[in-house]
Amino acid sequence: MWKIAGQNVPRDCFPHFAPEEMLYEFGGPRIFTLRDDDDELCLAYWCDADDEVDRFIVVSTSAATVSSLKTGRTSVLRALDQPRCWLCDLDRANHLRACRRVEFSDIPGECVPAAGTMLPPELEPRLRFRATAPSQITGGG
């Protein structure tokens, strides 16, 4: 797993690293809300794992942003790109092992959702093709 840049923060900054509201689950929690030590709403996004830990991007959020995610008015990437951002590693018993304050822009691109990724998959943009008639070719005689 990639090395985290940034500043260490106390592990009790997220005293209960557990979903308050599950937004997406696939083989475990992938996107959910939780509360920080000041009881502020945060959004967590599973971004990587190895044999020992699951890594989550955690950002400050608002009820309005969560609502926009759920209704497809904002993408997951836009919801995550916030000034207050942490990377948190949880062990297999879901205990917070490490937490670092980071710049969202410093997170490797392959660890964040693609632009346009929506929370409900049915809202994701689809490629659309328009059928056109072949152009007429005039031949010489």
Side-chain angles (χ1 to χ4, degrees):
M1 193 167 347
W2 45 282
K3 183 177 167 86
I4 302 174
Q7 175 185 352
N8 278 327
V9 295
R11 287 183 287 178
D12 61 355
C13 66
F14 296 101
H16 306 288
F17 203 97
E20 180 174 281
E21 180 179 6
M22 188 69 66
L23 302 175
Y24 183 73
E25 185 173 9
F26 183 79
R30 296 298 183 237
I31 304 174
F32 56 91
T33 62
L34 72 156
R35 298 281 173 169
D36 66 13
D37 59 344
D38 291 325
D39 203 36
E40 297 292 326
L41 188 63
C42 295
L43 180 67
Y45 172 83
W46 178 91
C47 67
D48 204 357
D50 64 18
D51 292 337
E52 297 178 18
V53 300
D54 284 305
R55 181 165 290 164
F56 289 87
I57 299 169
V58 180
V59 299
S60 294
T61 195
S62 67
T65 297
V66 173
S67 177
S68 290
L69 265 173
K70 292 177 359 183
T71 58
R73 291 189 314 266
T74 194
S75 70
V76 178
L77 181 63
R78 181 169 288 160
L80 290 172
D81 191 356
Q82 300 299 319
R84 293 184 62 213
C85 182
W86 301 265
L87 286 172
C88 299
D89 288 347
L90 271 71
D91 64 21
R92 294 295 175 226
N94 289 327
H95 296 115
L96 191 58
R97 188 185 271 184
C99 189
R100 294 180 71 88
R101 182 74 187 267
V102 298
E103 295 292 327
F104 184 78
S105 60
D106 290 339
I107 299 171
E110 64 271 9
C111 296
V112 299
T117 300
M118 305 303 280
L119 185 63
E122 64 272 10
L123 296 175
E124 288 197 23
R126 294 188 173 95
L127 289 177
R128 295 179 188 224
F129 296 95
R130 192 175 97 200
T132 58
S135 62
Q136 292 185 338
I137 301 174
T138 57

Short mmCIF file of all heavy atoms in Angstrom, two decimals, residues 57-125:
data_model
loop_
_atom_site.label_atom_id
_atom_site.label_comp_id
_atom_site.label_asym_id
_atom_site.label_seq_id
_atom_site.Cartn_x
_atom_site.Cartn_y
_atom_site.Cartn_z
N ILE A 57 -10.63 7.39 2.87
CA ILE A 57 -10.57 8.85 2.79
C ILE A 57 -11.74 9.34 3.62
O ILE A 57 -12.87 8.86 3.46
CB ILE A 57 -10.73 9.33 1.34
CG1 ILE A 57 -9.61 8.80 0.45
CG2 ILE A 57 -10.81 10.86 1.29
CD1 ILE A 57 -9.85 9.01 -1.04
N VAL A 58 -11.49 10.27 4.51
CA VAL A 58 -12.55 10.84 5.35
C VAL A 58 -12.51 12.35 5.18
O VAL A 58 -11.43 12.96 5.27
CB VAL A 58 -12.37 10.46 6.84
CG1 VAL A 58 -13.49 11.06 7.68
CG2 VAL A 58 -12.32 8.94 7.00
N VAL A 59 -13.66 12.94 4.92
CA VAL A 59 -13.75 14.39 4.74
C VAL A 59 -14.92 14.95 5.54
O VAL A 59 -15.89 14.25 5.80
CB VAL A 59 -13.92 14.79 3.25
CG1 VAL A 59 -12.73 14.33 2.43
CG2 VAL A 59 -15.21 14.25 2.67
N SER A 60 -14.79 16.21 5.91
CA SER A 60 -15.93 16.90 6.51
C SER A 60 -17.00 17.05 5.45
O SER A 60 -16.70 17.24 4.27
CB SER A 60 -15.52 18.29 6.99
OG SER A 60 -14.61 18.19 8.05
N THR A 61 -18.25 16.95 5.86
CA THR A 61 -19.35 17.07 4.91
C THR A 61 -20.53 17.74 5.57
O THR A 61 -20.45 18.20 6.71
CB THR A 61 -19.71 15.68 4.32
OG1 THR A 61 -20.51 15.86 3.15
CG2 THR A 61 -20.44 14.81 5.32
N SER A 62 -21.62 17.80 4.86
CA SER A 62 -22.86 18.38 5.39
C SER A 62 -24.02 17.49 4.99
O SER A 62 -23.92 16.67 4.08
CB SER A 62 -23.07 19.79 4.82
OG SER A 62 -23.33 19.70 3.43
N ALA A 63 -25.13 17.67 5.67
CA ALA A 63 -26.34 16.92 5.33
C ALA A 63 -26.77 17.23 3.89
O ALA A 63 -27.23 16.35 3.17
CB ALA A 63 -27.47 17.25 6.31
N ALA A 64 -26.57 18.47 3.45
CA ALA A 64 -26.94 18.84 2.08
C ALA A 64 -26.08 18.09 1.06
O ALA A 64 -26.60 17.63 0.04
CB ALA A 64 -26.78 20.35 1.89
N THR A 65 -24.79 17.94 1.33
CA THR A 65 -23.92 17.19 0.42
C THR A 65 -24.32 15.73 0.38
O THR A 65 -24.38 15.12 -0.70
CB THR A 65 -22.44 17.34 0.83
OG1 THR A 65 -22.08 18.72 0.73
CG2 THR A 65 -21.53 16.52 -0.06
N VAL A 66 -24.61 15.14 1.52
CA VAL A 66 -25.04 13.74 1.57
C VAL A 66 -26.34 13.57 0.78
O VAL A 66 -26.49 12.62 0.00
CB VAL A 66 -25.19 13.25 3.02
CG1 VAL A 66 -25.80 11.86 3.07
CG2 VAL A 66 -23.83 13.25 3.72
N SER A 67 -27.26 14.49 0.94
CA SER A 67 -28.51 14.44 0.19
C SER A 67 -28.24 14.55 -1.32
O SER A 67 -28.84 13.82 -2.12
CB SER A 67 -29.44 15.57 0.64
OG SER A 67 -30.61 15.57 -0.13
N SER A 68 -27.34 15.43 -1.71
CA SER A 68 -26.99 15.58 -3.12
C SER A 68 -26.36 14.32 -3.68
O SER A 68 -26.59 13.96 -4.84
CB SER A 68 -26.03 16.76 -3.32
OG SER A 68 -26.69 17.97 -3.09
N LEU A 69 -25.57 13.63 -2.88
CA LEU A 69 -24.99 12.34 -3.30
C LEU A 69 -26.08 11.31 -3.53
O LEU A 69 -26.08 10.60 -4.54
CB LEU A 69 -24.05 11.81 -2.21
CG LEU A 69 -22.58 12.10 -2.30
CD1 LEU A 69 -21.88 11.62 -1.04
CD2 LEU A 69 -21.96 11.50 -3.53
N LYS A 70 -27.00 11.22 -2.59
CA LYS A 70 -28.05 10.20 -2.65
C LYS A 70 -29.03 10.43 -3.80
O LYS A 70 -29.60 9.48 -4.31
CB LYS A 70 -28.79 10.13 -1.31
CG LYS A 70 -27.90 9.58 -0.22
CD LYS A 70 -28.44 9.50 1.17
CE LYS A 70 -29.77 9.93 1.53
NZ LYS A 70 -30.07 9.82 2.97
N THR A 71 -29.20 11.67 -4.20
CA THR A 71 -30.15 11.97 -5.27
C THR A 71 -29.48 12.16 -6.63
O THR A 71 -30.16 12.42 -7.62
CB THR A 71 -30.97 13.22 -4.93
OG1 THR A 71 -30.08 14.31 -4.72
CG2 THR A 71 -31.84 12.99 -3.70
N GLY A 72 -28.16 12.05 -6.66
CA GLY A 72 -27.45 12.16 -7.92
C GLY A 72 -27.21 13.58 -8.40
O GLY A 72 -26.91 13.81 -9.56
N ARG A 73 -27.28 14.55 -7.50
CA ARG A 73 -26.99 15.94 -7.88
C ARG A 73 -25.51 16.26 -7.77
O ARG A 73 -25.08 17.30 -8.27
CB ARG A 73 -27.82 16.89 -7.03
CG ARG A 73 -29.31 16.83 -7.34
CD ARG A 73 -30.10 17.93 -6.67
NE ARG A 73 -29.80 18.14 -5.27
CZ ARG A 73 -30.44 17.58 -4.25
NH1 ARG A 73 -31.45 16.77 -4.48
NH2 ARG A 73 -30.10 17.83 -3.01
N THR A 74 -24.73 15.40 -7.12
CA THR A 74 -23.29 15.61 -7.04
C THR A 74 -22.59 14.26 -7.16
O THR A 74 -23.15 13.23 -6.81
CB THR A 74 -22.87 16.34 -5.74
OG1 THR A 74 -21.53 16.81 -5.87
CG2 THR A 74 -22.99 15.46 -4.52
N SER A 75 -21.38 14.29 -7.67
CA SER A 75 -20.60 13.06 -7.83
C SER A 75 -19.86 12.74 -6.54
O SER A 75 -19.66 13.60 -5.67
CB SER A 75 -19.60 13.22 -8.98
OG SER A 75 -18.58 14.14 -8.61
N VAL A 76 -19.42 11.50 -6.44
CA VAL A 76 -18.66 11.07 -5.27
C VAL A 76 -17.35 11.86 -5.18
O VAL A 76 -16.97 12.32 -4.11
CB VAL A 76 -18.41 9.55 -5.29
CG1 VAL A 76 -17.58 9.12 -4.09
CG2 VAL A 76 -19.73 8.78 -5.33
N LEU A 77 -16.68 12.05 -6.31
CA LEU A 77 -15.42 12.79 -6.31
C LEU A 77 -15.62 14.22 -5.81
O LEU A 77 -14.85 14.71 -4.99
CB LEU A 77 -14.81 12.79 -7.71
CG LEU A 77 -13.47 13.50 -7.85
CD1 LEU A 77 -12.40 12.82 -7.00
CD2 LEU A 77 -13.04 13.54 -9.32
N ARG A 78 -16.65 14.88 -6.29
CA ARG A 78 -16.90 16.26 -5.85
C ARG A 78 -17.20 16.31 -4.35
O ARG A 78 -16.76 17.22 -3.65
CB ARG A 78 -18.06 16.86 -6.64
CG ARG A 78 -18.32 18.30 -6.22
CD ARG A 78 -19.25 19.00 -7.14
NE ARG A 78 -18.54 19.25 -8.39
CZ ARG A 78 -19.14 19.50 -9.54
NH1 ARG A 78 -20.43 19.54 -9.61
NH2 ARG A 78 -18.44 19.73 -10.62
N ALA A 79 -17.93 15.33 -3.84
CA ALA A 79 -18.24 15.30 -2.41
C ALA A 79 -16.98 15.07 -1.57
O ALA A 79 -16.89 15.57 -0.45
CB ALA A 79 -19.27 14.21 -2.12
N LEU A 80 -16.01 14.33 -2.12
CA LEU A 80 -14.78 14.03 -1.38
C LEU A 80 -13.74 15.14 -1.45
O LEU A 80 -12.88 15.24 -0.58
CB LEU A 80 -14.15 12.74 -1.90
CG LEU A 80 -14.89 11.45 -1.58
CD1 LEU A 80 -14.25 10.28 -2.32
CD2 LEU A 80 -14.94 11.19 -0.08
N ASP A 81 -13.78 15.94 -2.46
CA ASP A 81 -12.76 16.98 -2.65
C ASP A 81 -13.05 18.17 -1.74
O ASP A 81 -13.65 19.16 -2.15
CB ASP A 81 -12.73 17.40 -4.12
CG ASP A 81 -11.53 18.28 -4.44
OD1 ASP A 81 -10.75 18.62 -3.52
OD2 ASP A 81 -11.38 18.63 -5.63
N GLN A 82 -12.63 18.02 -0.48
CA GLN A 82 -12.92 19.01 0.57
C GLN A 82 -11.62 19.47 1.24
O GLN A 82 -10.63 18.74 1.26
CB GLN A 82 -13.84 18.40 1.63
CG GLN A 82 -15.18 17.94 1.08
CD GLN A 82 -15.98 19.07 0.48
OE1 GLN A 82 -16.03 20.17 1.01
NE2 GLN A 82 -16.61 18.79 -0.66
N PRO A 83 -11.62 20.65 1.82
CA PRO A 83 -10.41 21.15 2.48
C PRO A 83 -9.99 20.35 3.72
O PRO A 83 -8.81 20.23 3.98
CB PRO A 83 -10.77 22.59 2.89
CG PRO A 83 -12.06 22.91 2.22
CD PRO A 83 -12.69 21.63 1.77
N ARG A 84 -10.95 19.82 4.48
CA ARG A 84 -10.61 19.01 5.65
C ARG A 84 -10.67 17.54 5.26
O ARG A 84 -11.74 16.99 5.05
CB ARG A 84 -11.56 19.31 6.81
CG ARG A 84 -11.39 20.73 7.34
CD ARG A 84 -12.24 21.01 8.54
NE ARG A 84 -11.88 20.14 9.64
CZ ARG A 84 -12.75 19.67 10.54
NH1 ARG A 84 -14.02 19.99 10.45
NH2 ARG A 84 -12.36 18.89 11.51
N CYS A 85 -9.49 16.92 5.14
CA CYS A 85 -9.39 15.57 4.61
C CYS A 85 -8.39 14.77 5.43
O CYS A 85 -7.32 15.27 5.80
CB CYS A 85 -8.95 15.65 3.15
SG CYS A 85 -8.81 14.07 2.31
N TRP A 86 -8.74 13.52 5.71
CA TRP A 86 -7.88 12.60 6.43
C TRP A 86 -7.79 11.28 5.68
O TRP A 86 -8.72 10.91 4.97
CB TRP A 86 -8.43 12.30 7.83
CG TRP A 86 -8.62 13.47 8.71
CD1 TRP A 86 -7.75 13.95 9.64
CD2 TRP A 86 -9.78 14.31 8.80
NE1 TRP A 86 -8.30 15.04 10.28
CE2 TRP A 86 -9.54 15.28 9.79
CE3 TRP A 86 -11.01 14.34 8.12
CZ2 TRP A 86 -10.46 16.27 10.12
CZ3 TRP A 86 -11.93 15.31 8.44
CH2 TRP A 86 -11.65 16.27 9.43
N LEU A 87 -6.71 10.55 5.89
CA LEU A 87 -6.61 9.16 5.47
C LEU A 87 -6.53 8.34 6.75
O LEU A 87 -5.69 8.60 7.62
CB LEU A 87 -5.38 8.92 4.60
CG LEU A 87 -5.49 9.46 3.18
CD1 LEU A 87 -4.16 9.35 2.46
CD2 LEU A 87 -6.58 8.73 2.41
N CYS A 88 -7.41 7.37 6.87
CA CYS A 88 -7.51 6.57 8.08
C CYS A 88 -7.35 5.09 7.75
O CYS A 88 -7.99 4.60 6.82
CB CYS A 88 -8.86 6.79 8.75
SG CYS A 88 -9.15 8.50 9.26
N ASP A 89 -6.49 4.42 8.50
CA ASP A 89 -6.28 2.98 8.34
C ASP A 89 -6.97 2.25 9.49
O ASP A 89 -6.73 2.55 10.66
CB ASP A 89 -4.79 2.64 8.36
CG ASP A 89 -4.07 3.08 7.09
OD1 ASP A 89 -4.76 3.42 6.11
OD2 ASP A 89 -2.84 3.07 7.08
N LEU A 90 -7.81 1.27 9.13
CA LEU A 90 -8.50 0.44 10.12
C LEU A 90 -7.98 -0.99 10.00
O LEU A 90 -7.83 -1.51 8.89
CB LEU A 90 -10.01 0.42 9.86
CG LEU A 90 -10.81 1.51 10.54
CD1 LEU A 90 -10.54 2.84 9.92
CD2 LEU A 90 -12.26 1.16 10.52
N ASP A 91 -7.73 -1.61 11.15
CA ASP A 91 -7.31 -3.01 11.12
C ASP A 91 -8.53 -3.89 10.88
O ASP A 91 -9.66 -3.41 10.77
CB ASP A 91 -6.54 -3.41 12.38
CG ASP A 91 -7.36 -3.33 13.65
OD1 ASP A 91 -8.61 -3.36 13.60
OD2 ASP A 91 -6.75 -3.26 14.74
N ARG A 92 -8.31 -5.18 10.79
CA ARG A 92 -9.40 -6.11 10.45
C ARG A 92 -10.46 -6.21 11.56
O ARG A 92 -11.57 -6.67 11.31
CB ARG A 92 -8.84 -7.50 10.14
CG ARG A 92 -7.98 -7.53 8.90
CD ARG A 92 -8.82 -7.21 7.68
NE ARG A 92 -7.98 -7.13 6.50
CZ ARG A 92 -8.06 -6.17 5.60
NH1 ARG A 92 -8.92 -5.21 5.74
NH2 ARG A 92 -7.28 -6.17 4.56
N ALA A 93 -10.14 -5.73 12.76
CA ALA A 93 -11.14 -5.69 13.83
C ALA A 93 -11.85 -4.33 13.88
O ALA A 93 -12.55 -4.01 14.83
CB ALA A 93 -10.47 -5.97 15.17
N ASN A 94 -11.64 -3.51 12.83
CA ASN A 94 -12.23 -2.17 12.70
C ASN A 94 -11.77 -1.20 13.78
O ASN A 94 -12.53 -0.31 14.18
CB ASN A 94 -13.76 -2.24 12.63
CG ASN A 94 -14.22 -2.82 11.33
OD1 ASN A 94 -13.59 -2.62 10.29
ND2 ASN A 94 -15.32 -3.55 11.37
N HIS A 95 -10.53 -1.34 14.22
CA HIS A 95 -9.94 -0.37 15.13
C HIS A 95 -9.09 0.59 14.32
O HIS A 95 -8.32 0.17 13.44
CB HIS A 95 -9.07 -1.06 16.19
CG HIS A 95 -9.85 -1.97 17.08
ND1 HIS A 95 -9.66 -3.33 17.10
CD2 HIS A 95 -10.85 -1.71 17.95
CE1 HIS A 95 -10.49 -3.87 17.96
NE2 HIS A 95 -11.23 -2.90 18.49
N LEU A 96 -9.21 1.87 14.61
CA LEU A 96 -8.43 2.89 13.93
C LEU A 96 -6.96 2.73 14.30
O LEU A 96 -6.58 2.88 15.46
CB LEU A 96 -8.94 4.28 14.30
CG LEU A 96 -8.43 5.44 13.49
CD1 LEU A 96 -8.73 5.27 12.01
CD2 LEU A 96 -9.04 6.73 13.99
N ARG A 97 -6.15 2.37 13.33
CA ARG A 97 -4.73 2.13 13.57
C ARG A 97 -3.89 3.37 13.33
O ARG A 97 -2.91 3.60 14.02
CB ARG A 97 -4.25 1.00 12.65
CG ARG A 97 -2.84 0.56 12.98
CD ARG A 97 -2.35 -0.45 12.01
NE ARG A 97 -2.70 -1.79 12.45
CZ ARG A 97 -2.32 -2.87 11.82
NH1 ARG A 97 -1.61 -2.79 10.71
NH2 ARG A 97 -2.65 -4.06 12.27
N ALA A 98 -4.26 4.18 12.33
CA ALA A 98 -3.52 5.40 12.01
C ALA A 98 -4.45 6.38 11.32
O ALA A 98 -5.39 5.98 10.65
CB ALA A 98 -2.33 5.08 11.11
N CYS A 99 -4.15 7.66 11.51
CA CYS A 99 -4.94 8.70 10.87
C CYS A 99 -4.02 9.88 10.59
O CYS A 99 -3.25 10.29 11.46
CB CYS A 99 -6.10 9.11 11.77
SG CYS A 99 -7.27 10.20 10.97
N ARG A 100 -4.08 10.38 9.35
CA ARG A 100 -3.23 11.50 8.96
C ARG A 100 -4.06 12.55 8.24
O ARG A 100 -4.90 12.22 7.41
CB ARG A 100 -2.10 11.04 8.06
CG ARG A 100 -1.12 10.13 8.79
CD ARG A 100 0.00 9.66 7.90
NE ARG A 100 0.96 10.69 7.54
CZ ARG A 100 2.03 11.00 8.26
NH1 ARG A 100 2.27 10.38 9.40
NH2 ARG A 100 2.86 11.92 7.85
N ARG A 101 -3.80 13.81 8.56
CA ARG A 101 -4.43 14.93 7.86
C ARG A 101 -3.67 15.12 6.55
O ARG A 101 -2.44 15.18 6.56
CB ARG A 101 -4.36 16.17 8.74
CG ARG A 101 -5.02 17.39 8.16
CD ARG A 101 -6.53 17.28 8.23
NE ARG A 101 -7.14 18.38 7.53
CZ ARG A 101 -7.50 19.51 8.09
NH1 ARG A 101 -7.33 19.70 9.38
NH2 ARG A 101 -8.03 20.46 7.37
N VAL A 102 -4.39 15.18 5.44
CA VAL A 102 -3.76 15.27 4.12
C VAL A 102 -4.47 16.30 3.26
O VAL A 102 -5.58 16.74 3.57
CB VAL A 102 -3.79 13.90 3.39
CG1 VAL A 102 -3.01 12.85 4.16
CG2 VAL A 102 -5.20 13.43 3.12
N GLU A 103 -3.84 16.64 2.17
CA GLU A 103 -4.47 17.43 1.12
C GLU A 103 -5.13 16.43 0.17
O GLU A 103 -4.50 15.46 -0.24
CB GLU A 103 -3.44 18.26 0.35
CG GLU A 103 -2.77 19.33 1.18
CD GLU A 103 -3.72 20.44 1.59
OE1 GLU A 103 -4.66 20.75 0.80
OE2 GLU A 103 -3.55 20.99 2.67
N PHE A 104 -6.37 16.66 -0.18
CA PHE A 104 -7.07 15.74 -1.08
C PHE A 104 -6.29 15.57 -2.38
O PHE A 104 -6.20 14.47 -2.92
CB PHE A 104 -8.49 16.22 -1.35
CG PHE A 104 -9.27 15.26 -2.19
CD1 PHE A 104 -9.82 14.11 -1.63
CD2 PHE A 104 -9.44 15.48 -3.55
CE1 PHE A 104 -10.52 13.20 -2.41
CE2 PHE A 104 -10.16 14.58 -4.33
CZ PHE A 104 -10.69 13.44 -3.77
N SER A 105 -5.70 16.63 -2.87
CA SER A 105 -4.96 16.57 -4.14
C SER A 105 -3.72 15.68 -4.06
O SER A 105 -3.19 15.29 -5.10
CB SER A 105 -4.57 17.98 -4.58
OG SER A 105 -3.76 18.59 -3.60
N ASP A 106 -3.26 15.34 -2.86
CA ASP A 106 -2.08 14.47 -2.70
C ASP A 106 -2.43 12.98 -2.74
O ASP A 106 -1.54 12.14 -2.75
CB ASP A 106 -1.35 14.77 -1.38
CG ASP A 106 -0.66 16.13 -1.41
OD1 ASP A 106 -0.40 16.64 -2.52
OD2 ASP A 106 -0.41 16.68 -0.33
N ILE A 107 -3.71 12.64 -2.76
CA ILE A 107 -4.12 11.24 -2.80
C ILE A 107 -3.95 10.74 -4.24
O ILE A 107 -4.40 11.41 -5.18
CB ILE A 107 -5.58 11.08 -2.33
CG1 ILE A 107 -5.71 11.57 -0.87
CG2 ILE A 107 -6.04 9.63 -2.47
CD1 ILE A 107 -7.14 11.66 -0.37
N PRO A 108 -3.31 9.59 -4.42
CA PRO A 108 -3.10 9.09 -5.79
C PRO A 108 -4.42 8.96 -6.56
O PRO A 108 -5.45 8.54 -6.01
CB PRO A 108 -2.47 7.70 -5.57
CG PRO A 108 -1.87 7.77 -4.20
CD PRO A 108 -2.74 8.70 -3.41
N GLY A 109 -4.37 9.33 -7.82
CA GLY A 109 -5.56 9.32 -8.67
C GLY A 109 -6.26 7.98 -8.75
O GLY A 109 -7.49 7.92 -8.86
N GLU A 110 -5.49 6.88 -8.69
CA GLU A 110 -6.12 5.56 -8.77
C GLU A 110 -6.86 5.19 -7.49
O GLU A 110 -7.55 4.17 -7.45
CB GLU A 110 -5.11 4.47 -9.14
CG GLU A 110 -4.02 4.25 -8.13
CD GLU A 110 -2.78 5.14 -8.32
OE1 GLU A 110 -2.80 6.05 -9.15
OE2 GLU A 110 -1.80 4.90 -7.61
N CYS A 111 -6.74 6.00 -6.45
CA CYS A 111 -7.39 5.72 -5.17
C CYS A 111 -8.65 6.54 -4.95
O CYS A 111 -9.30 6.40 -3.91
CB CYS A 111 -6.41 5.95 -4.02
SG CYS A 111 -5.01 4.82 -4.08
N VAL A 112 -8.98 7.40 -5.88
CA VAL A 112 -10.20 8.20 -5.77
C VAL A 112 -11.16 7.79 -6.88
O VAL A 112 -10.74 7.25 -7.90
CB VAL A 112 -9.90 9.72 -5.82
CG1 VAL A 112 -9.00 10.14 -4.67
CG2 VAL A 112 -9.31 10.12 -7.16
N PRO A 113 -12.45 8.03 -6.70
CA PRO A 113 -13.40 7.66 -7.75
C PRO A 113 -13.19 8.49 -9.01
O PRO A 113 -12.72 9.63 -8.94
CB PRO A 113 -14.76 7.93 -7.12
CG PRO A 113 -14.49 8.90 -6.02
CD PRO A 113 -13.10 8.65 -5.55
N ALA A 114 -13.52 7.92 -10.13
CA ALA A 114 -13.42 8.63 -11.41
C ALA A 114 -14.40 9.80 -11.42
O ALA A 114 -15.47 9.75 -10.80
CB ALA A 114 -13.71 7.68 -12.56
N ALA A 115 -14.04 10.84 -12.14
CA ALA A 115 -14.93 11.98 -12.30
C ALA A 115 -16.25 11.50 -12.88
O ALA A 115 -16.27 10.66 -13.78
CB ALA A 115 -14.30 13.03 -13.20
N GLY A 116 -17.35 11.99 -12.35
CA GLY A 116 -18.67 11.61 -12.85
C GLY A 116 -19.26 10.39 -12.18
O GLY A 116 -20.42 10.05 -12.45
N THR A 117 -18.50 9.70 -11.31
CA THR A 117 -19.04 8.53 -10.61
C THR A 117 -20.11 9.00 -9.63
O THR A 117 -19.87 9.85 -8.79
CB THR A 117 -17.95 7.77 -9.85
OG1 THR A 117 -16.97 7.32 -10.77
CG2 THR A 117 -18.52 6.60 -9.10
N MET A 118 -21.30 8.43 -9.78
CA MET A 118 -22.42 8.80 -8.94
C MET A 118 -22.67 7.71 -7.91
O MET A 118 -22.35 6.54 -8.14
CB MET A 118 -23.68 9.01 -9.78
CG MET A 118 -23.49 10.02 -10.91
SD MET A 118 -22.94 11.65 -10.36
CE MET A 118 -24.47 12.33 -9.82
N LEU A 119 -23.26 8.08 -6.80
CA LEU A 119 -23.54 7.10 -5.75
C LEU A 119 -24.52 6.04 -6.22
O LEU A 119 -24.19 4.86 -6.20
CB LEU A 119 -24.05 7.82 -4.49
CG LEU A 119 -24.27 6.94 -3.28
CD1 LEU A 119 -22.98 6.30 -2.82
CD2 LEU A 119 -24.87 7.76 -2.15
N PRO A 120 -25.71 6.40 -6.67
CA PRO A 120 -26.57 5.36 -7.24
C PRO A 120 -26.09 5.04 -8.65
O PRO A 120 -26.05 5.93 -9.50
CB PRO A 120 -27.96 6.00 -7.28
CG PRO A 120 -27.85 7.28 -6.51
CD PRO A 120 -26.41 7.67 -6.53
N PRO A 121 -25.66 3.79 -8.91
CA PRO A 121 -25.11 3.47 -10.23
C PRO A 121 -26.04 3.82 -11.39
O PRO A 121 -25.57 4.15 -12.47
CB PRO A 121 -24.88 1.96 -10.17
CG PRO A 121 -24.82 1.63 -8.72
CD PRO A 121 -25.66 2.66 -8.02
N GLU A 122 -27.34 3.77 -11.17
CA GLU A 122 -28.25 4.07 -12.27
C GLU A 122 -28.20 5.53 -12.69
O GLU A 122 -28.71 5.91 -13.73
CB GLU A 122 -29.70 3.67 -11.92
CG GLU A 122 -30.31 4.43 -10.77
CD GLU A 122 -30.03 3.82 -9.40
OE1 GLU A 122 -29.20 2.90 -9.28
OE2 GLU A 122 -30.65 4.29 -8.44
N LEU A 123 -27.55 6.39 -11.89
CA LEU A 123 -27.44 7.80 -12.25
C LEU A 123 -26.15 8.13 -12.99
O LEU A 123 -25.97 9.25 -13.44
CB LEU A 123 -27.52 8.67 -10.98
CG LEU A 123 -28.84 8.60 -10.23
CD1 LEU A 123 -28.74 9.41 -8.94
CD2 LEU A 123 -29.98 9.10 -11.08
N GLU A 124 -25.26 7.15 -13.12
CA GLU A 124 -23.99 7.42 -13.80
C GLU A 124 -24.23 7.72 -15.27
O GLU A 124 -25.10 7.13 -15.90
CB GLU A 124 -23.05 6.22 -13.65
CG GLU A 124 -22.51 6.11 -12.26
CD GLU A 124 -21.30 5.22 -12.17
OE1 GLU A 124 -20.61 5.02 -13.18
OE2 GLU A 124 -21.04 4.74 -11.07
N PRO A 125 -23.43 8.65 -15.81
CA PRO A 125 -23.60 8.95 -17.23
C PRO A 125 -23.28 7.74 -18.09
O PRO A 125 -22.39 6.96 -17.77
CB PRO A 125 -22.60 10.08 -17.48
CG PRO A 125 -21.85 10.28 -16.23
CD PRO A 125 -22.41 9.40 -15.17
#
